[in-house]
Amino acid sequence: MSDNCLFCKISKGEIPSDKLYEDDEIFVFRDIAPQAPVHFLVIPKKHISGPSALAPQDEQLIGRMMRVGNEVAKREGVEQYRVVFNNGEQAGQTVFHIHMHIFGGRSMTWPPG
Ligand code: 5GP
Ligand code: ZN
């Protein structure tokens, strides 16, 4: 837990969210400003500021996030989706607790803006 981290507070239930999945390591909830019909965030409960802060011991956790995200996407009715990790402000990161965006339910353009 990092003091004043929004996503630490959400994963602890201190700030309400539309939760889709939770286990001892991972928390999944809908994005408050969805950019697609299905748009949710997969986060570790452990505070990691972003992809560039990952340590070797986090590798399995990140792998689990992808597998959990895929299961939640299926449950939400999307078999095809986009996965995004923003790393740093220039890339669009606004919350500095690592999160995997999963977007689905519409056609996507490439490259992203
Ligand atoms: P980033 O821009 O850092 O990659 O993504 C942060 C995401 O968190 C944004 O898509 C934003 O809409 C979402 N977000 C920000 N504050 C909240 C909140 O309080 N609740 C939820 N559910 N999502 C949030
Ligand atoms: Zn945090």
Side-chain angles (χ1 to χ4, degrees):
M1 166 75 178
S2 180
D3 287 351
N4 283 322
C5 170
L6 176 64
F7 285 0
C8 282
K9 288 181 179 166
I10 285 178
S11 71
K12 290 175 126 193
E14 291 173 9
I15 291 177
S17 69
D18 194 349
K19 179 173 85 176
L20 295 174
Y21 174 87
E22 179 176 15
D23 63 32
D24 55 339
E25 290 185 316
I26 292 173
F27 194 88
V28 183
F29 56 107
R30 289 189 203 283
D31 197 291
I32 206 168
Q35 302 300 311
V38 173
H39 180 186
F40 59 85
L41 303 172
V42 182
I43 67 170
K45 289 186 171 176
K46 174 185 175 185
H47 182 84
I48 300 169
S49 61
S52 57
L54 285 167
Q57 62 266 28
D58 300 321
E59 285 176 7
Q60 211 177 2
L61 176 63
I62 295 300
R64 283 202 64 229
M65 283 167 61
M66 187 71 258
R67 283 177 49 78
V68 165
N70 184 62
E71 286 306 309
V72 174
K74 250 198 287 185
R75 226 169 53 206
E76 288 293 300
V78 295
E79 297 275 347
Q80 302 178 51
Y81 52 80
R82 178 167 289 175
V83 179
V84 171
F85 280 94
N86 291 324
N87 186 60
E89 266 173 52
Q90 191 176 35
Q93 187 177 6
T94 59
V95 178
F96 290 84
H97 179 129
I98 193 169
H99 47 281
M100 174 190 284
H101 291 261
I102 294 193
F103 307 90
R106 66 166 168 83
S107 297
M108 305 279 162
T109 57
W110 189 263

